[in-house]
Amino acid sequence: MRKAWSLFFLAAAVVAVAACWAAPGMHWWFPQKSPGGHAVSPLGNQIDDLFYLILVITSVTFIGTQAMLAFVLWKYEAAPGRRSAFTHGSHSLEVIWSVVPAGIMLFIALYQMDVWARYRIQSRFDPYAFEHPIAEVTARQFEWRIRYPAPGKTLQAKPQPDDLYTVNDFHIPLGRPVMFQLRSDDVLHSFFLPHHRVKQDAVPGMTIPVWFESTQTGEFELVCAELCGWGHYKMRGQITAQREEEFQEYLKKLSQSQFDDGVLAANAAGAQQAPAGEEKP
Amino acid sequence: MSTLNPAHPLGHAHSGDDAHTHHELSFVRKYVFSTDHKIIGIQFLCTTLLMLMVGGSLALGVRWQLAFPWKTMPIIGPLLFSSQGGVVPPEFYTMLFTMHATVMIFLVIIPILAGAFGNFVIPLQIGADDMAFPTLNMLSYWFMWPAIGFFMSSFFVEGGGAAAGWTSYPSLSAQAAAAPGSGAGQTLWLMGVTFVGVSSMMGSVNYMTTIINMRAPGMTLFRMPTTIWAMFITAILQAFALPVLTAAGFMLLMDRLVGTCFFTPGGLIINNAEPTVGSGQILLWQHLFWFYSHPAVYIMILPAMGMVSDMISTFSRKPLFGYKPMVYSLSAIAGLGFIVWGHHMFMSGMNPYLGMTFMLSTMMIALPSAVKTFNWLGTLWGGNIQFTVPMLNSLGFVSMFIVGGLSGIFMAAVPVDIYIHDTYFIVAHFHYVLFGATMFGVFGGIHYWFPKMFGRMMNESVGKVHFVLSFIGFNCTFFPMHLLGVAGMPRRLADPYNYPYLAHLLPMNQFMTYSAILMGFAQFLLLGNFFYSMFKGKKVGRNPWNANSLEWTAPSPPGHGNFDILPVVYRGPYEYASPLVEEDFLPQTRRLTPEQMAAVKPPATAH
């Protein structure tokens, strides 16, 4: 049984590393909508890169320290007649293992700043997207309400008569940064797009601009990530990324369906028929 | 020094028993409303171990729902939720995790470290006969009980227990209409937290005063064991951070009860109630809460770090590597701990420039933690390591603290935190720090000081089995949470599988639940061993571990007044394997003659 404890602690570390190694193949890794589980937004890919950078640094540290732990437990297990080294420490070692981690930490912190700034600092937002928010998303127990401006108009802070509304169904155009205003009607919620790596709390009393860009068409989950009450688990929305023309078409259809009182449709139909009739000889 | 220490009769005849009070105390005064720091420490210990089982049961409720969502909970389900067919209702799920965290943080970890070990160990390790304010000390224990009463009774009021998470963010916690648990349950929760806060504050004042004023002759600050340093720094943290939480708690109570609006913006229509009025700030609560609760995170680990340093040095039979850097890093963690609270709020909508500053300070606080880890490894290097139960648990602490510390770097980095914030990655991180590190440190501490508490040993074999099962159960429960977090699974969802991208994670959650059940049952071994050994354990003398610090010179168990001989301190607490003596330990109180000091013998065998 000698050395068993060294192996016990070593085994825990080995299993941990193995689990992480196997995780992507077992789908225990980033959610997959694209091959390899890449984020479907440019900023998301940068976040993933930073994640992997930290993962490499921490893995090296983890393996090094756990191996060291297993080694000292192996080598220095009590033996009859042995006596420990009598030392109270080493100044130079303390300096080394303070300065080196400090340098690494500082590097990580400074290296991360830019992505954060691009994500959240408003002066770094894409100017067009910032000027033309595509929607206002209002969270409430337990749904997401989306308010688009009428086609061809810009979003106003106050709801307009021709605004378009949907619930839990958020469409965005592909291939350009889009910005929306995030609000909450009642309690805290959090707007979380796992595939795009976007997250922002919705805070009652605040309007928070959020931007992202989708690089892939399709439907993605919109998750509430901040406890908002008993129905928190079912506050599920859907985000649909589609090509610009399809998005414009979608807005037009939405407008038609929301303002269809029968007269409008009849007028439209009449207007289509009348010119056709006039043209006839 | 010793200004509050009443003149001690040197060479007191009967082995420390009732050194001060010559009359026999009644049972109630001796064991119930006791002013003896040791009894109070043991009261705290027994109460918190009981609460550990309560908090653990709540956690198993959470785990049941995550592994078998909407399935009838065996045995308990039909009793509690007969109208729902024995299924955990979603609102009860939110109460389960809220109260699990509340119980574990406020009724287990904080009081077991500061209350149980702080009380028991501080006077013994500094050579004092008791705390500076014994009555205040007694009150600090008894103020726990109203808190326990408030927390537990909240389950029985209309709407049920508090359900806004242990962070109790408004508006969920401020508006009664927001959730079933936001009614009377939330009010009781706030009152409970207030009582816990007052209890901690009384302890904190006592510890600071005792450590500053009542050290034995020769016990200079830099001869104090790291446990004492850690308790001292923790007490300072509590003294400066707690008033903020208490004030914030009162403000929230006022919002709830008398209609102030510190945390309530106007115009919110919550669950079809009347629109709110006022112009309060939601984020104000988060700032105030985390201004306390981030230092509280360190309140929940620093004492364990100190205790583990003592145990690792003792069982490596080697001086603590870098004693002063260890003390300085404890202080650095405490100091920096006050300027990192914003890292809990990166996604909260606060000014994004603050995110950058808080990221820098958070990265810097990883540094003293790294220094501590390297020093623990340095202590082990070249030692003569004895794998006792306290040592195994301490090694468990180091091993798990490395994981918890490293995973912290991910969330300190703001951009990465965008993704992992509020996911299971966070849950993994803080369980590695608070359970993996702190609780293993506590398990070690229980086995280490048990012989001093009761004059008997805990069973070594049972202790080892408990450690192995807990360690395996713990890792199998919490390590997969990192992966769940990377897979984007948010916390606090009663049914995460409602989201298609998470549906395939059910089997992993089931595996974690089985592991949690294993870990939970392993704790019965600890409890059984604890209470059995209290009466039937092997009897031991004063110093069963051949350790150096002062508590081991007192009788086991020490009587009222602790020391039969007034301790005088000649050196630091970590002089193991000293070349000055034949044995591999040199107690702080042992006086060496000048001849002994001069005749420095080389170590028998170098490593």
Side-chain angles (χ1 to χ4, degrees), chain B residues 180-480:
Chain B
S182 298
Q186 189 68 43
T187 305
L188 287 170
W189 186 91
L190 283 165
M191 288 160 74
V193 168
T194 306
F195 271 90
V196 175
V198 174
S199 160
S200 285
M201 185 55 92
M202 290 195 264
S204 151
V205 169
N206 221 343
Y207 300 164
M208 286 193 286
T209 316
T210 307
I211 293 171
I212 292 172
N213 288 310
M214 294 180 64
R215 300 191 308 278
M219 180 64 90
T220 58
L221 286 176
F222 281 113
R223 281 180 183 170
M224 298 197 306
T226 47
T227 303
I228 300 299
W229 268 110
M231 294 290 178
F232 184 44
I233 291 167
T234 303
I236 296 171
L237 276 179
Q238 281 186 324
F240 285 92
L242 245 173
V244 178
L245 178 75
T246 310
F250 271 120
M251 288 157 77
L252 188 51
L253 263 181
M254 291 302 110
D255 270 17
R256 297 178 53 82
L257 299 178
V258 302
T260 57
C261 49
F262 292 110
F263 307 118
T264 308
L268 307 183
I269 300 172
I270 293 171
N271 209 1
N272 291 329
E274 289 286 306
T276 58
V277 288
S279 53
Q281 287 285 338
I282 298 276
L283 289 190
L284 176 61
W285 167 267
Q286 297 186 22
H287 281 293
L288 295 176
F289 180 83
W290 287 114
F291 187 83
Y292 161 75
S293 292
H294 198 80
V297 170
Y298 297 109
I299 290 169
M300 290 183 253
I301 189 150
L302 291 187
M305 286 176 164
M307 286 154 48
V308 162
S309 304
D310 274 8
M311 289 185 273
I312 287 184
S313 173
T314 303
F315 296 110
S316 299
R317 316 307 297 163
K318 186 163 169 280
L320 185 65
F321 199 88
Y323 169 77
K324 280 195 179 174
M326 287 293 233
V327 173
Y328 295 144
S329 52
L330 279 176
S331 319
I333 291 174
L336 288 168
F338 276 104
I339 53 165
V340 297
W341 81 89
H343 67 218
H344 297 269
M345 299 171 59
F346 285 152
M347 301 305 121
S348 69
M350 70 174 179
N351 187 327
Y353 287 104
L354 283 175
M356 296 186 174
T357 48
F358 280 120
M359 167 162 65
L360 261 180
S361 57
T362 305
M363 288 288 178
M364 286 303 111
I365 207 168
L367 192 60
S369 305
V371 169
K372 296 196 80 69
T373 305
F374 294 136
N375 277 303
W376 286 318
L377 291 174
T379 308
L380 292 163
W381 185 281
N384 195 29
I385 298 168
Q386 300 171 338
F387 290 105
T388 58
V389 178
M391 183 61 158
L392 287 173
N393 281 289
S394 301
L395 295 170
F397 173 104
V398 175
S399 174
M400 300 296 91
F401 181 70
I402 292 173
V403 181
L406 291 174
S407 63
I409 297 175
F410 289 86
M411 56 205 68
V414 213
V416 177
D417 190 61
I418 295 171
Y419 179 64
I420 59 176
H421 184 76
D422 265 325
T423 67
Y424 261 82
F425 199 91
I426 311 290
V427 183
H429 164 72
F430 66 71
H431 279 97
Y432 262 88
V433 180
L434 292 185
F435 194 137
T438 298
M439 281 314 285
F440 278 96
V442 164
F443 294 152
I446 290 173
H447 286 86
Y448 184 60
W449 280 295
F450 189 87
K452 190 53 59 186
M453 290 177 187
F454 302 107
R456 293 170 185 274
M457 296 294 277
M458 282 174 80
N459 186 295
E460 186 85 0
S461 308
V462 177
K464 282 181 177 164
V465 174
H466 167 256
F467 166 72
V468 168
L469 292 182
S470 300
F471 190 83
I472 293 174
F474 170 81
N475 278 295
C476 291
T477 307
F478 292 104
F479 195 81

Side-chain angles (χ1 to χ4, degrees), chain B residues 473-547:
Chain B
F474 170 81
N475 278 295
C476 291
T477 307
F478 292 104
F479 195 81
M481 288 188 184
H482 293 109
L483 305 175
L484 293 182
V486 178
M489 179 168 146
R491 306 164 64 177
R492 297 171 168 175
L493 296 184
D495 181 8
Y497 320 107
N498 186 30
Y499 292 97
Y501 80 103
L502 298 173
H504 68 286
L505 297 172
L506 181 66
M508 184 189 259
N509 272 297
Q510 289 173 339
F511 169 74
M512 291 156 66
T513 297
Y514 291 129
S515 308
I517 292 170
L518 169 76
M519 182 170 66
F521 276 99
Q523 303 322 308
F524 285 106
L525 289 176
L526 176 76
L527 287 191
N529 196 1
F530 185 86
F531 288 107
Y532 180 83
S533 305
M534 204 186 278
F535 302 104
K536 301 277 183 188
K538 195 179 88 190
K539 283 196 173 180
V540 285
R542 293 179 183 228
N543 194 358
W545 307 116
N546 290 339

Side-chain angles (χ1 to χ4, degrees), chain A residues 220-253:
Chain A
F220 306 93
E221 281 111 331
L222 161 56
V223 184
C224 180
E226 181 70 64
L227 177 63
C228 60
W230 70 270
H232 172 48
Y233 70 99
K234 59 176 189 174
M235 188 161 161
R236 171 183 156 195
Q238 179 174 285
I239 191 147
T240 307
Q242 47 196 177
R243 293 179 204 295
E244 186 76 44
E245 322 79 76
E246 292 171 34
F247 174 67
Q248 297 301 340
E249 190 61 28
Y250 166 78
L251 285 185
K252 211 174 282 174
K253 276 196 180 147

Side-chain angles (χ1 to χ4, degrees), chain A residues 9-260:
Chain A
F9 284 101
L10 185 66
V14 169
V15 171
V17 173
C20 289
W21 193 265
M26 304 289 287
H27 300 291
W28 300 336
W29 209 239
F30 290 106
Q32 293 197 322
K33 270 278 163 123
S34 62
H38 293 302
V40 292
S41 70
L43 208 62
N45 279 313
Q46 288 183 315
I47 289 175
D48 288 2
D49 290 345
L50 294 173
F51 175 90
Y52 283 114
L53 171 76
I54 299 178
L55 185 65
V56 169
I57 293 173
T58 51
S59 297
V60 169
T61 317
F62 176 77
I63 292 169
T65 45
Q66 298 285 355
M68 182 62 75
L69 181 67
F71 172 75
V72 291
L73 298 187
W74 179 278
K75 177 135 191 235
Y76 300 110
E77 184 168 354
R82 250 242 335 261
R83 202 174 167 94
S84 307
F86 184 68
T87 167
H88 289 85
S90 153
H91 186 72
S92 38
L93 271 179
E94 299 289 347
V95 171
I96 291 170
W97 64 43
S98 303
V99 171
V100 172
I104 295 173
M105 291 298 176
L106 200 62
F107 162 72
I108 295 177
L110 296 176
Y111 192 72
Q112 306 258 340
M113 294 266 184
D114 185 57
V115 173
W116 174 245
R118 297 205 317 133
Y119 178 65
R120 277 298 275 130
I121 306 283
Q122 287 179 17
S123 59
R124 301 283 302 273
F125 283 18
D126 178 77
Y128 180 82
F130 189 66
E131 303 277 308
H132 302 85
I134 64 158
E136 177 191 76
V137 176
T138 305
R140 62 188 298 245
Q141 290 175 331
F142 300 99
E143 65 186 23
W144 303 93
R145 292 192 165 186
I146 293 105
R147 175 169 72 93
Y148 303 96
K153 294 195 176 175
T154 37
L155 186 79
Q156 304 295 314
K158 285 207 165 154
Q160 302 296 307
D162 55 356
D163 282 343
L164 310 173
Y165 290 89
T166 58
V167 173
N168 291 340
D169 183 20
F170 187 14
H171 285 241
I172 54 155
L174 189 75
R176 65 175 167 105
V178 291
M179 200 201 79
F180 63 91
Q181 303 285 2
L182 184 61
R183 293 178 60 247
S184 168
D185 258 357
D186 42 32
V187 300
L188 283 173
H189 302 272
S190 191
F191 182 96
F192 178 31
L193 300 178
H195 300 92
H196 296 82
R197 320 281 191 257
V198 169
K199 190 179 286 137
Q200 176 60 54
D201 285 5
V203 185
M206 288 173 77
T207 303
I208 301 172
V210 184
W211 78 271
F212 68 103
E213 179 183 340
S214 190
T215 54
Q216 193 179 319
T217 53
E219 289 159 359
F220 306 93
E221 281 111 331
L222 161 56
V223 184
C224 180
E226 181 70 64
L227 177 63
C228 60
W230 70 270
H232 172 48
Y233 70 99
K234 59 176 189 174
M235 188 161 161
R236 171 183 156 195
Q238 179 174 285
I239 191 147
T240 307
Q242 47 196 177
R243 293 179 204 295
E244 186 76 44
E245 322 79 76
E246 292 171 34
F247 174 67
Q248 297 301 340
E249 190 61 28
Y250 166 78
L251 285 185
K252 211 174 282 174
K253 276 196 180 147
L254 197 62
S255 171
Q256 279 169 4
S257 68
Q258 289 191 359
F259 296 102
D260 179 16

Side-chain angles (χ1 to χ4, degrees), chain B residues 4-18:
Chain B
L4 291 185
N5 199 356
H8 220 297
L10 270 172
H12 205 282
H14 43 259
S15 65
D17 200 28
D18 286 341

